[in-house]
Amino acid sequence: MAPPTHFTLNTGAKIPAVGLGTWQSKPGEVQQAVAFALKDGYRHIDAALVYGNEAEVGQGIKDSGVPREEIFLTSKVWNSHQPNVKEGLQKSLDALGVDYLDLYLVHWPVRLVPNETGELFPLNPDGTRAVDRSWDQSETWRQMEEIYKSGKVKAIGVSNWSIPYLEELRKTWTIVPAVNQVELHPYLPQHELREYCEKLGILLQAYSPLGSTGAPIMTDPDIQKIADKNGVSAATILISYHVNKGVVVLPKSVIEKRISSNKDVISLSKEDLDVLDQLAASGKAKRLNTPLWGFDLGFADWYGPVKSR
Ligand SMILES: NC(=O)c1ccc[n+]([C@@H]2O[C@H](COP(=O)([O-])OP(=O)(O)OC[C@H]3O[C@@H](n4cnc5c(N)ncnc54)[C@H](OP(=O)(O)O)[C@@H]3O)[C@@H](O)[C@H]2O)c1
């Protein structure tokens, strides 16, 4: 059976299974990358204010000539804007040059307090990040719900939220997050989080599916073996892994040939999926994205056993 091209959010909206990532896509590269991707068939772009390139992403969308309503566009409220989500949203809308988003995420369950050292990555006098541990994330979510009701975003969700954080938020949410965007790949399969989100109707999105900068997971011999068996690249295996498991995947590239091939998704056998599912537990577990917030985000079980698929 052909793998799905779209999934359905708990709002009823359709979301393309593969979206173009834009983190670390440099100025002078990302505009062309976005325009090329959309002309090449992508209909899903993952952006964020903190990537510092939303104006170029927006220009790429315009250059593509693809109508706005055909594109699924995501952005994220940055940690320093948590007390004023509306302001963060407006900055992204202005930079992207659009009047609504299809999905808006709380980027991290972490509030940063801007000071004279910076707005986006403020520091304390001792050099640690200026995190406000007393900030109540349920207040951030309350503001997200208001924004959703205003119609400026068609769905709201979270990013980098572990089970304990979601359990806490659950006590007060009136709208269930549509999405949880987390680091996800065979070295960090997060089986328990996937099962938990599935039960609540929260769709997972896989970031850093190739291992982030330089795509290090692509060189894994076990993954290459599966790629050779299927006659495709390791990137295709790593991207297809998520779609076969009902997860949205967000590969980033600014190289046309890669952008084009990264949207190819194949059906994987149960045998191949089992191998990929067990790689972390076999000793390869690795989290690649670990910003120094200075406290535990509750992802303790991140390479736990596969309970079911
Ligand atoms: N919510 C969050 O906190 C969060 C965190 C991280 C990422 N994200 C999102 O997820 C997206 C993807 O994650 P990511 O950017 O960390 O990493 P990724 O997509 O796993 O990997 C990107 C790296 O792989 C290279 N690459 C891409 N396709 C390739 C291919 N077919 N063959 C060989 N190399 C290839 C890219 O280089 P080239 O560009 O030179 O091709 C880049 O160095 C981000 O861009 C962002 O939108 C979200």
Side-chain angles (χ1 to χ4, degrees), residues 108 159-161 180-185 187-190 193 204-209 211-212 217 242 286-291 299 302:
W108 290 88
S159 176
N160 298 299
W161 286 56
N180 187 12
Q181 183 180 122
V182 292
E183 181 178 333
L184 218 58
H185 42 70
Y187 289 4
L188 188 67
Q190 310 217 58
L193 181 66
L204 274 192
Q205 293 190 324
Y207 78 61
S208 303
S212 206
I217 308 177
H242 299 291
K286 195 169 187 181
R287 179 178 286 277
L288 299 151
N289 201 302
T290 51
F299 284 110
W302 45 269

Side-chain angles (χ1 to χ4, degrees), residues 10 29 72-73 79 97-98 136 140 149 165-166 170 173 182 209 224 241 304:
N10 61 15
E29 293 179 344
F72 192 101
L73 181 59
N79 305 5
V98 296
D136 184 356
T140 308
K149 286 174 196 156
Y165 274 71
L166 288 165
R170 220 178 144 178
W173 72 35
V182 292
Q224 191 56 51
Y241 171 60

Side-chain angles (χ1 to χ4, degrees), residues 21-23 46 51 76 107-108 159-160 181 207-215 218 235 250-255 258 262 289:
T22 61
W23 180 43
D46 183 73
Y51 301 164
K76 312 175 190 100
H107 207 141
W108 290 88
S159 176
N160 298 299
Q181 183 180 122
Y207 78 61
S208 303
L210 308 174
S212 206
T213 316
M218 279 186 61
L250 304 167
K252 171 265 174 182
S253 182
V254 291
I255 296 172
R258 292 177 176 175
N262 285 351
N289 201 302

Side-chain angles (χ1 to χ4, degrees), residues 8-139:
T8 306
L9 298 178
N10 61 15
T11 57
K14 298 269 181 224
I15 178 168
V18 182
L20 180 74
T22 61
W23 180 43
Q24 304 193 110
S25 297
K26 294 190 192 76
E29 293 179 344
V30 68
Q31 182 175 335
Q32 288 91 323
V34 168
F36 173 80
L38 290 169
K39 283 188 213 156
D40 196 49
Y42 280 75
R43 288 296 180 269
H44 179 177
I45 308 289
D46 183 73
L49 181 134
V50 78
Y51 301 164
N53 58 11
E54 285 191 316
E56 267 205 50
V57 169
Q59 199 50 54
I61 291 174
K62 286 194 187 79
D63 293 352
S64 74
V66 175
R68 168 69 187 93
E69 62 275 15
E70 286 185 22
I71 302 166
F72 192 101
L73 181 59
T74 300
S75 185
K76 312 175 190 100
V77 61
W78 183 238
N79 305 5
S80 348
H81 288 117
Q82 288 210 2
N84 193 342
V85 176
K86 207 169 154 188
E87 186 184 284
L89 172 66
Q90 199 54 51
K91 284 191 178 183
S92 284
L93 292 174
D94 290 348
L96 289 161
V98 296
D99 53 14
Y100 73 92
L101 295 174
D102 297 278
L103 178 64
Y104 197 47
L105 307 178
V106 180
H107 207 141
W108 290 88
V110 176
R111 185 210 164 188
L112 285 168
V113 188
N115 61 27
E116 63 289 350
T117 67
E119 198 200 335
L120 298 181
F121 290 98
L123 298 174
N124 294 314
D126 66 358
T128 58
R129 296 257 164 91
V131 173
D132 177 3
R133 292 293 310 277
S134 68
W135 179 256
D136 184 356
Q137 290 294 320
S138 71
E139 168 55 20

